[in-house]
Amino acid sequence: MEKLKILTYPDPFLKQKAQQVTKFDDSLKELAQAMAAAMYDNTGIGLAAPQVGHGLRLFVADVDFHGEDSGPKNPIAYCNPVIKNGQGRGMNEEGCLSVPEYRAEVERFERLTLEYQDLDGNQHSLEAEGLLAICIQHETDHLEGKLFIDYLPPLKRKMVQNRLKKLAREA
Ligand SMILES: [Zn+2]
């Protein structure tokens, strides 16, 4: 598969709700592999299919990755993720490959259960906390057409959106 291009705000595709994965075939595996490559290339820990122009309920994540010297890569693909049983609330700084040059504190569940399917369609249930729990909530939001900046207070959100639109025009 060709290198994937990461869409950035205000690309309207990022606002679309993604569709269930129903075909667990080779092209799905190729997409997940290309997404993992794009994630590592851009030093991200998670990437959702809508961010690369595919309207599928799929994301990849590797929260142990922090750049070149991270050691063995272990990307995991999550299909049709459903968050259950969120517990605790905490504020954490987040960034996003689709929101360049900006980070902000967002409130998220501290612990959750994730039900998802792997690339072969097998069902899994995962208990997550810490960075993985945050990453899962951030990426699952992408499948609903939601970005982390949507959680900002309205005035701040508007400011950030205007700055990002200006960045996009200049690109
Ligand atoms: Zn993101």
Side-chain angles (χ1 to χ4, degrees), residues 40 43-45 62-71 73 131:
Y40 292 126
T43 323
I45 57 166
D62 182 354
V63 293
D64 296 321
F65 182 72
H66 52 81
E68 287 295 294
D69 59 347
S70 284
K73 296 183 173 87
L131 188 56

Side-chain angles (χ1 to χ4, degrees), residues 127-138:
E127 308 287 324
E129 58 180 5
L131 188 56
L132 180 59
I134 295 163
C135 179
I136 285 169
Q137 292 168 86
H138 178 116

Side-chain angles (χ1 to χ4, degrees), residues 46-48 51 94-99 138-139 142 146-148:
L47 186 68
Q51 292 180 273
E94 294 182 25
C96 177
L97 296 179
S98 294
V99 181
H138 178 116
E139 301 309 331
H142 275 300
K146 199 162 187 182
L147 298 175
F148 79 98

Side-chain angles (χ1 to χ4, degrees), residues 4-166:
L4 297 170
K5 185 180 174 298
I6 296 177
L7 306 177
T8 54
Y9 182 91
D11 193 299
F13 198 84
L14 293 169
K15 297 211 74 133
Q16 284 184 31
K17 202 173 156 159
Q19 305 295 310
Q20 286 286 111
V21 175
T22 53
K23 278 193 216 146
F24 296 87
D25 56 7
D26 284 348
S27 68
L28 183 72
K29 292 185 177 76
E30 276 169 34
L31 173 61
Q33 216 166 47
M35 283 168 57
M39 174 180 82
Y40 292 126
D41 278 353
N42 292 280
T43 323
I45 57 166
L47 186 68
Q51 292 180 273
V52 291
H54 288 261
L56 285 173
R57 302 188 78 79
L58 160 70
F59 70 85
V60 295
D62 182 354
V63 293
D64 296 321
F65 182 72
H66 52 81
E68 287 295 294
D69 59 347
S70 284
K73 296 183 173 87
N74 183 29
I76 300 183
Y78 302 85
C79 304
N80 302 326
V82 178
I83 293 172
K84 296 261 170 83
N85 204 19
Q87 288 174 42
R89 301 291 284 175
M91 296 286 283
N92 298 276
E93 198 182 76
E94 294 182 25
C96 177
L97 296 179
S98 294
V99 181
E101 296 175 36
Y102 186 72
R103 298 180 70 82
E105 295 239 315
V106 178
E107 190 182 291
R108 303 281 192 187
F109 291 123
E110 290 170 328
R111 291 176 302 285
L112 56 83
T113 304
L114 185 74
E115 293 182 356
Y116 70 98
Q117 286 169 282
D118 62 28
L119 293 170
D120 293 311
N122 300 312
Q123 192 73 39
H124 297 269
S125 182
L126 167 76
E127 308 287 324
E129 58 180 5
L131 188 56
L132 180 59
I134 295 163
C135 179
I136 285 169
Q137 292 168 86
H138 178 116
E139 301 309 331
T140 304
D141 272 354
H142 275 300
L143 310 182
E144 298 298 322
K146 199 162 187 182
L147 298 175
F148 79 98
I149 53 172
D150 294 333
Y151 291 101
L152 297 174
L155 208 63
K156 193 167 178 189
R157 187 173 64 223
K158 196 84 218 154
M159 264 171 53
V160 174
Q161 286 172 335
N162 287 341
R163 197 198 310 163
L164 289 165
K165 283 176 187 162
K166 189 163 173 277

